[in-house]
Amino acid sequence: PQRLGSAHGSALGKGFYTSQSPQTAQGYTGGNGTLCVIHIITGKILQGGNSGYDPQSLRNNGYQTIQSSNVFVVSGNEQVLV
């Protein structure tokens, strides 16, 4: 079994890649079309992330989430409510 949040998403560093747009999220389904609807607690957001952030470094600087376009990357399991 694969751990939730580990299949895709390394462009902005490790974390849970989420989107408010179903069309964007659909692109990360691996072709099976299944989406998981969740709630996230964003905390402080770093806008316009570019690449390879370390979650611990983000937390040390007071950020919990990176936003790039319509993709949000949350760095901690405790921010995801299933």
Side-chain angles (χ1 to χ4, degrees):
Q2 192 161 20
R3 193 173 71 76
L4 183 64
S6 65
H8 298 284
S10 60
L12 297 172
K14 293 181 180 179
F16 291 93
Y17 281 60
T18 64
S19 177
Q20 294 177 317
S21 162
Q23 293 80 12
T24 299
Q26 192 75 34
Y28 291 91
T29 64
N32 71 8
T34 302
L35 295 177
C36 178
V37 178
I38 62 171
H39 293 278
I40 62 168
I41 301 169
T42 59
K44 187 175 176 186
I45 299 173
L46 175 63
Q47 300 282 336
N50 291 322
S51 64
Y53 290 97
D54 171 45
Q56 189 59 51
S57 176
L58 284 173
R59 286 184 180 163
N60 290 345
N61 289 301
Y63 293 99
Q64 293 83 28
T65 303
I66 301 170
Q67 179 186 5
S68 179
S69 185
N70 64 349
V71 174
F72 293 82
V73 183
V74 295
S75 61
N77 296 347
E78 67 278 359
Q79 292 173 256
V80 179
L81 307 173
V82 180

